[in-house]
Amino acid sequence: MAQLFRDLSLGHSKRESTPSPPLKIMPPKKPPTLPADDLPSPLGQLSTNLSDSELALTAYEIFVAACRTSSGKPLSSSIANSVSNSHSGSPSQNSVGGIQRSITSTAASKVKKAFGLKSPGSGSKKSPGSGSGLGKVKRPLTVGELMRSQMRVSEGMDSRVRRALLRISAGQVGRRIESVVVPLELMQQLKASDFTDQQEYDEWQKRTLKVLEAGLILHPYIPLDKSNSAGQRLRQIIHGALDRPIETGKNNESMQVLRSAVMTLANRSYDGSLTDSCHWADGIPLNLRLYEMLLQSCFDVNDESSIIDDFDELMEQIKKTWGILGLNQTYHNLCFTWVLFHRFVATGQMDLELLSDADGQLAEVAKDAKTTKDSEYSKILSSTLTSILGWAEKRLLAYHETFDRGNVETMEGIVSLGVAAAKILLEDVSTEYRRRRKTEVNVARERIETYIRSSLRTAFAQIMEKADSSRRASRNQPNALPLLAILAKDVGSLAMNEKLVFSPILKRWHPLAAGLAVATLHACYGNEMKQFIAGITELTPDAVQVLRAADQLEKDLVQIAVEDSVDSDDGGKAVIREMPPYEAEGAIANLVKIWIKTRIDRLKDWVDRNLQQELWSPQANQEGYAPSSVEVLRIINETLDAFFQLPIPMHPALLPDVMHGLDRCLQYYVAKAKSGCGSRNTFIPTMPALTRCTIGSKFQGFGKKKEKSPNPQKRNSQVATNGDSSFGVPQLCVRMNTLQWILGEFDVLEKRIITLLRNSESAREEDFSNGLASKFELSSAACLEGIQQLCEAAAYRIVFHDLSHVLWDSLYVGDPSSSRIDPFLQELERNLMFISDNVNEKIRTRIITEIMRASFDGLLFVLLAGGPSRAFSKKDSQIIEDDFKFLKELFWANGDGLPSEIIDKFATTLRSILPLFRTDTDNLIEQFRRLTLETYKSSARSRIPLPPTSGQWSPTEPNTLLRVLCHRNDESASKFLKKTYDLPKKL
């Protein structure tokens, strides 16, 4: 045993094996304070106040005790250095063996290659284990020297520990180091005289006693009952030593009591018996914290992110402490993962190789986690992974704040580390996962989805705040963008940056990373859009700008999602389903429709107000149409201009709505323009009741002044009187001209709409191929119908109302030969002249035709419904036929009037009925009887039914024949009517 510990001094000078003179040695430097204090060690916190430097010294003592002879082994790098130096000087005897060993050693570390561990670069500061310092720093030649230098243990302390261990081995030959309580034996061997001064010795003893307390009482390998007598004694001794140092002489009573208590506690076993093995540094977390100190020695002291060149040799010796610390490869993998990760964090997170090393080591931990059933290990594993995952997720849940193009590679490493930690925690630590194992859980995808959603929501909130600040700053500037328009632009930039920078990395774990990202942004912006759309009630430039920006943003986001989903199983349908449309175009369309309705309602109100004031005066303008029509078309043009000036992308789509509204407005104008003017039936008098003639009555008044008909027939009550100037014939002409002028303007208006449509930004060729969208169909039809109705109303007004005094009141009253049609023709001609002069030439023929038809109807009405004041003998038929001829000639006007074809067409009915007036009475009665019986299916013996008035005059129609008989100045006719129907002679 003594020989073993003598070998520990290999690499030291001989005089170091004898007591050193009291030199003033600088106290050991504290390990560098790393800027990761906010990342507490998950390996456990000690219940005693042992500092890191005290733990480091204890770890070093364990290392020296555990390594025994091997710490004197020459380093590969020192051998290589010896080879180099042999060219300039004679090699020493020891270096010859080093040269021999260099033949079989490798220049690079196998373990470092396996994990990609980095050695200090040529430009970095050289550590004691990584090269010569131009003579200023003594290069370590052995593993022991390297470890002392790495752990910053002074040469004096190192020498004291080695001498003490040498004396311990001399007194306990044959004992394994695992059966030795190293701190107890060091207290026994080292005296105050071995230290520079009493204070240094007292501090060293207190530290040693705290280590014994930590390993045997506070964190024992086997749980300790508080009532344990040995534990109570040891606690008393330790607390007493804090006030007065213990005398450590071999035969000192206090030392014997201390030894007894320590060994009783160290030799305990789970079954209560005492064993030769000592458990004093293998309780969790003390052993893990000590091992952590040893592992940290593998980093270059001058380049804290680099592994030393002699990593293999040093790690080989460090692993020899496992026996004392109660560790194994599984615990080593976990501790080393933490140390690598912590070093990456502490050194500013700049060294990607360290991050990669930690990730690689974590892969080993993942293998261990699946096979290890140790409950204590599981607790430390859970704590370590939770700490790593917590640190990683603090950055990944808002990765836009932490990473950019410049350090995105770091993000990839952190994501890999975080996902690996999460996977181990869920699959190998979580009991919940084991219970639900049948359910497939893709940990990586779930974590990446969480990171993407969380980070983008955070980023969205930040750019929204930024957009708000930008809007407030530019509030007083012209053409300042509204908030959501600015936000849409920023979100688009964020989405593109996500696609180019972060998604390629995250796609390694989530195949739809970009799609998921844009779906998240789509939802965030969509929430703002819902509130915006709910709050807008009218079409404003700001509203349109926001809605158009939202529409463009949505198209960009969907495009990214579609491109990202090309290779996915469902073609990206799941992602697209997460992006319900903003309906920005729909919102714009709804606002435009509200705008259209407002304009149309306003125009309709205008029509109501102005048509009430419209005089329809022929003197209003030379063209003879109403000023209101000019104004209404002007407003329609202004509305169209305003519509096409709206900053919207859908003019062609919404044009039908505008056209429909304007068309309905014009239709309304036309309806109002013709309302109240009457129609054919308005002016035709009510037919008097059927009577029979008084024979010879028309000769009784011969030579006397003709009396006025005692019972003039009442005309329809709807007929407007001459007192209402807005419905006279001149006014009706203006109304007709107005509708004709509007009808003529449609072509100009529709061509203008096509031009406006062609100049709109969203126009397409197919928008012009179907011209229906630009047509005023309703109002055009209304104009044609209105013109026809007004022509008819004017015609029947002239004939039955204005000329009633020469037609209804006097024509054929009394003696037909003395009350012929000439007065009527004269008045009618004057009216025709007026019409020709005041009506638009395009409708002149139509209205004259209607006047002709009304005249023919008027003549028929006089002949068939003239009442008891009119009676015709057979010889009067020639007078009637001549008058009918004169009436037709008036409209033919020697070929300058209506075409003969039109005259003949409308004269057909009257021409077919006139022959009845020259037919014998008996023949008329026979025809009437036969037609009536045939029509109403009556037998010859039954009473002949009274045929109703149909108004459809015809020589074969029973009522027409009956009316001819009623006006026949003949005894036979009178008797037949008296006998058959008992008709009166007068009303």
Side-chain angles (χ1 to χ4, degrees):
M1 187 75 174
Q3 181 60 39
L4 292 177
F5 279 104
R6 287 191 191 97
D7 292 338
L8 290 173
S9 62
L10 284 176
H12 293 264
S13 62
K14 287 187 178 181
R15 71 171 184 272
E16 288 181 317
S17 63
T18 60
S20 303
L23 298 173
K24 185 67 175 178
I25 301 173
M26 294 298 291
K29 296 179 182 178
K30 291 182 180 181
T33 303
L34 303 176
D37 297 335
D38 61 334
L39 198 61
S41 174
L43 303 179
Q45 299 300 318
L46 300 180
S47 299
T48 184
N49 58 343
L50 281 168
S51 65
D52 284 352
S53 59
E54 290 174 329
L55 282 173
L57 183 56
T58 303
Y60 180 72
E61 292 171 349
I62 293 172
F63 173 81
V64 174
C67 292
R68 301 192 292 278
T69 59
S70 55
S71 66
K73 177 183 176 182
L75 296 167
S76 299
S77 60
S78 67
I79 295 170
N81 192 52
S82 298
V83 173
S84 175
N85 291 337
S86 66
H87 295 290
S88 56
S90 299
S92 63
Q93 187 176 354
N94 287 340
S95 70
V96 174
I99 294 169
Q100 294 292 329
R101 284 190 294 274
S102 71
I103 296 172
T104 58
S105 66
T106 58
S109 162
K110 295 176 184 177
V111 176
K112 285 164 67 178
K113 277 188 176 181
F115 291 114
L117 299 174
K118 183 186 72 172
S119 299
S122 58
S124 64
K125 296 179 181 178
K126 296 297 180 180
S127 70
S130 60
S132 171
L134 299 177
K136 293 182 181 180
V137 180
K138 179 182 176 183
R139 180 179 181 82
L141 299 176
T142 67
V143 175
E145 286 184 358
L146 175 60
M147 191 61 165
R148 180 193 66 75
S149 175
Q150 287 295 103
M151 298 195 73
R152 305 192 181 202
V153 175
S154 66
E155 290 186 12
M157 181 58 74
D158 176 62
S159 180
R160 282 192 288 272
V161 171
R162 291 180 185 279
R163 286 200 305 274
L165 289 173
L166 187 61
R167 291 196 289 269
I168 292 167
S169 64
Q172 301 184 18
V173 177
R175 288 187 64 185
R176 294 181 302 107
I177 193 63
E178 288 80 3
S179 64
V180 175
V181 181
V182 175
L184 178 66
E185 300 303 335
L186 289 177
M187 282 186 66
Q188 182 82 65
Q189 296 298 327
L190 294 177
K191 312 299 180 190
S193 59
D194 293 320
F195 291 84
T196 305
D197 51 38
Q198 184 65 36
Q199 181 183 355
E200 185 183 6
Y201 172 70
D202 290 345
E203 290 177 356
W204 176 83
Q205 189 184 87
K206 288 178 182 179
R207 190 266 308 169
T208 305
L209 288 170
K210 285 193 288 184
V211 170
L212 289 173
E213 180 186 28
L216 296 172
I217 298 175
L218 300 177
H219 307 289
Y221 173 72
I222 298 172
L224 180 66
D225 193 342
K226 290 184 178 180
S227 62
N228 186 285
S229 57
Q232 292 175 349
R233 282 200 308 276
L234 180 58
R235 190 177 284 108
Q236 291 172 356
I237 294 170
I238 291 172
H239 291 170
L242 297 177
D243 299 326
R244 188 179 65 179
I246 298 175
E247 291 293 332
T248 59
K250 187 173 183 181
N251 299 320
N252 186 279
E253 181 180 356
S254 60
M255 189 63 196
Q256 290 177 356
V257 174
L258 176 64
R259 178 177 290 277
S260 173
V262 167
M263 296 310 295
T264 299
L265 293 172
N267 291 330
R268 287 182 307 130
S269 63
Y270 276 103
D271 59 6
S273 61
L274 299 178
T275 64
D276 292 337
S277 298
C278 290
H279 302 286
W280 65 273
D282 49 357
I284 294 174
L286 177 62
N287 58 346
L288 300 179
R289 293 302 308 281
L290 291 170
Y291 194 61
E292 184 181 9
M293 292 295 171
L294 293 173
L295 291 176
Q296 286 178 357
S297 68
C298 297
F299 293 95
D300 192 293
V301 293
N302 292 321
D303 185 0
E304 295 173 343
S305 63
S306 298
I307 300 292
I308 58 175
D309 287 337
D310 302 294
F311 173 80
D312 278 357
E313 290 95 328
L314 188 59
M315 185 57 73
E316 182 183 347
Q317 302 307 313
I318 289 174
K319 287 183 178 182
K320 292 180 179 179
T321 63
W322 289 359
I324 297 174
L325 297 176
L327 300 178
N328 54 25
Q329 185 68 43
T330 301
Y331 275 102
H332 165 79
N333 290 338
L334 182 58
C335 289
F336 196 35
T337 297
W338 170 254
V339 168
L340 288 168
F341 169 72
H342 186 268
R343 183 58 61 118
F344 166 73
V345 175
T347 54
Q349 307 161 40
M350 300 298 293
D351 196 311
L352 296 182
E353 289 190 25
L354 268 180
L355 185 60
S356 177
D357 298 341
D359 195 24
Q361 192 67 36
L362 193 58
E364 298 300 314
V365 172
K367 296 176 186 176
D368 296 336
K370 293 190 179 301
T371 56
T372 304
K373 305 301 180 184
D374 184 352
S375 61
E376 287 298 325
Y377 172 79
S378 293
K379 291 178 184 177
I380 300 300
L381 174 65
S382 177
S383 176
T384 303
L385 295 178
T386 300
S387 183
I388 292 173
L389 183 59
W391 180 91
E393 292 200 333
K394 187 176 180 181
R395 285 140 186 84
L396 295 176
L397 289 172
Y399 58 79
H400 291 86
E401 296 179 2
T402 311
F403 305 104
D404 52 33
R405 291 177 184 271
N407 63 353
V408 72
E409 290 183 359
T410 304
M411 175 188 168
E412 183 173 11
I414 293 175
V415 171
S416 178
L417 198 69
V419 167
K423 191 171 183 181
I424 298 170
L425 277 171
L426 183 66
E427 295 181 357
D428 302 308
V429 178
S430 170
T431 54
E432 179 70 19
Y433 174 78
R434 294 194 188 101
R435 284 199 297 269
R436 296 189 301 128
R437 200 154 194 167
K438 292 181 180 179
T439 306
E440 188 67 26
V441 179
N442 191 323
V443 180
R445 281 189 74 153
E446 286 188 354
R447 296 321 303 160
I448 297 302
E449 182 169 339
T450 301
Y451 301 153
I452 290 173
R453 292 194 188 278
S454 172
S455 187
L456 281 165
R457 285 169 185 155
T458 302
F460 178 83
Q462 291 172 344
I463 64 173
M464 187 170 179
E465 185 177 344
K466 177 185 172 185
D468 190 37
S469 300
S470 174
R471 181 186 61 83
R472 286 199 300 267
S474 61
R475 181 177 296 167
N476 297 324
Q477 296 179 5
N479 302 320
L481 287 174
L483 172 62
L484 288 183
I486 298 172
L487 186 62
K489 183 179 178 182
D490 291 345
V491 169
S493 299
L494 178 62
M496 189 55 64
N497 184 64
E498 181 77 18
K499 173 189 174 184
L500 297 176
V501 177
F502 299 114
S503 295
I505 289 174
L506 297 174
K507 203 172 181 70
R508 170 181 161 191
W509 295 275
H510 197 302
L512 301 177
L516 187 63
V518 295
T520 303
L521 288 175
H522 185 275
C524 290
Y525 190 83
N527 291 333
E528 302 302 320
M529 279 301 298
K530 284 179 185 176
Q531 298 178 39
F532 176 79
I533 291 174
I536 52 178
T537 56
E538 61 178 342
L539 192 68
T540 63
D542 280 4
V544 172
Q545 207 165 10
V546 168
L547 291 170
R548 293 195 67 175
D551 187 55
Q552 185 58 52
L553 172 64
E554 183 168 53
K555 289 174 181 174
D556 293 342
L557 296 181
V558 169
Q559 181 63 29
I560 292 174
V562 170
E563 290 174 357
D564 189 53
S565 309
V566 171
D567 300 325
S568 65
D569 295 337
D570 67 347
K573 292 179 181 178
V575 172
I576 299 300
R577 278 196 296 270
E578 275 195 53
M579 303 170 72
Y582 292 153
E583 302 293 354
E585 284 195 359
I588 293 176
N590 289 336
L591 288 174
V592 174
K593 287 175 182 178
I594 293 172
W595 179 90
I596 293 169
K597 185 178 184 303
T598 303
R599 290 287 186 124
I600 298 304
D601 289 346
R602 197 180 300 162
L603 178 55
K604 188 177 178 183
D605 291 342
W606 182 94
V607 170
D608 280 330
R609 286 195 312 272
N610 281 266
L611 284 188
Q612 287 176 3
Q613 302 168 8
E614 182 62 71
L615 300 177
W616 306 101
S617 171
Q619 289 76 38
N621 54 51
Q622 293 180 352
E623 289 79 7
Y625 48 81
S628 59
S629 63
V630 179
E631 190 64 18
V632 76
L633 287 185
R634 183 188 65 78
I635 295 173
I636 286 174
N637 274 297
E638 287 180 355
T639 303
L640 287 167
D641 287 339
F643 169 72
F644 280 103
Q645 286 170 10
L646 292 176
I648 59 173
M650 67 250 326
H651 289 107
L654 292 172
L655 179 60
D657 293 84
V658 179
M659 290 301 299
H660 181 71
L662 295 177
D663 197 12
R664 292 295 297 270
C665 262
L666 265 178
Q667 183 189 31
Y668 182 70
Y669 177 89
V670 172
K672 295 288 284 185
K674 70 179 184 177
S675 65
C677 295
S679 63
R680 175 180 181 273
N681 294 331
T682 304
F683 298 100
I684 294 178
T686 304
M687 288 189 183
L690 293 173
T691 59
R692 56 193 175 91
C693 285
T694 301
I695 306 304
S697 60
K698 67 177 181 178
F699 302 108
Q700 293 172 3
F702 181 75
K704 297 182 181 180
K705 184 178 180 181
K706 185 170 60 177
E707 296 179 1
K708 192 173 181 180
S709 176
N711 293 310
Q713 304 302 318
K714 295 181 181 178
R715 280 179 287 274
N716 195 308
S717 61
Q718 298 180 30
V719 175
T721 65
N722 285 326
D724 189 350
S725 61
S726 62
F727 296 104
V729 172
Q731 287 73 30
L732 291 177
C733 290
V734 173
R735 293 173 191 262
M736 282 184 273
N737 290 341
T738 299
L739 300 191
Q740 182 60 44
W741 180 78
I742 292 174
L743 197 60
E745 289 296 306
F746 284 143
D747 189 48
V748 177
L749 201 54
E750 289 166 3
K751 287 179 180 178
R752 186 165 182 272
I753 292 169
I754 294 295
T755 302
L756 290 169
L757 183 61
R758 200 178 298 277
N759 293 334
S760 67
E761 61 177 281
S762 53
R764 296 165 300 177
E765 190 58 39
E766 54 265 30
D767 297 324
F768 308 104
S769 58
N770 182 7
L772 292 177
S774 62
K775 298 290 185 183
F776 289 87
E777 293 180 320
L778 296 175
S779 48
S780 178
C783 283
L784 291 172
E785 182 185 342
I787 290 169
Q788 178 60 36
Q789 182 181 332
L790 288 170
C791 286
E792 187 179 276
Y796 281 83
R797 180 186 182 92
I798 290 171
V799 172
F800 287 93
H801 183 273
D802 296 354
L803 302 185
S804 64
H805 62 288
V806 290
L807 178 68
W808 179 251
D809 293 342
S810 61
L811 182 63
Y812 301 143
V813 172
D815 183 5
S817 62
S818 60
S819 54
R820 296 185 64 173
I821 203 168
D822 293 340
F824 173 71
L825 294 178
Q826 292 170 9
E827 293 287 338
L828 183 60
E829 187 174 12
R830 280 197 295 272
N831 278 272
L832 289 174
M833 294 297 293
F834 178 84
I835 293 292
S836 297
D837 292 339
N838 290 278
V839 169
N840 187 298
E841 61 180 6
K842 292 184 178 179
I843 56 176
R844 191 175 295 154
T845 298
R846 183 181 302 179
I847 188 170
I848 292 176
T849 302
E850 288 299 323
I851 293 173
M852 179 182 70
R853 187 174 72 156
S855 300
F856 291 166
D857 284 351
L859 181 56
L860 266 176
F861 202 87
V862 166
L863 294 174
L864 298 177
S869 62
R870 292 179 172 89
F872 304 101
S873 63
K874 184 179 175 184
K875 65 178 182 178
D876 291 333
S877 63
Q878 188 60 49
I879 294 173
I880 296 171
E881 289 179 9
D882 289 343
D883 285 350
F884 176 47
K885 178 182 176 184
F886 299 148
L887 182 59
K888 289 193 292 181
E889 287 177 348
L890 174 65
F891 289 101
W892 185 62
N894 296 319
D896 294 332
L898 295 176
S900 59
E901 299 84 23
I902 293 178
I903 296 173
D904 289 341
K905 174 184 175 183
F906 285 94
T908 302
T909 302
L910 185 55
R911 187 170 55 246
S912 67
I913 290 173
L914 288 183
L916 295 175
F917 285 87
R918 61 173 177 262
T919 304
D920 291 338
T921 301
D922 293 340
N923 285 339
L924 280 176
I925 292 172
E926 185 59 34
Q927 288 181 44
F928 169 73
R929 190 191 304 274
R930 179 175 50 79
L931 287 172
T932 302
L933 293 175
E934 286 177 1
T935 304
Y936 299 105
K937 310 298 183 188
S938 299
S939 65
R941 297 175 184 177
S942 64
R943 182 184 176 92
I944 302 173
L946 181 67
T949 302
S950 66
Q952 302 297 320
W953 312 127
S954 168
T956 59
E957 195 261 331
N959 186 262
T960 304
L961 291 169
L962 177 62
R963 288 182 175 277
V964 173
L965 286 171
C966 287
H967 290 85
R968 175 61 62 94
N969 189 7
D970 182 270
E971 185 71 27
S972 299
S974 180
K975 285 181 179 181
F976 171 76
L977 296 174
K978 171 67 177 175
K979 180 181 178 181
T980 307
Y981 300 115
D982 194 23
L983 294 181
K985 290 185 178 181
K986 58 184 178 180
L987 297 174

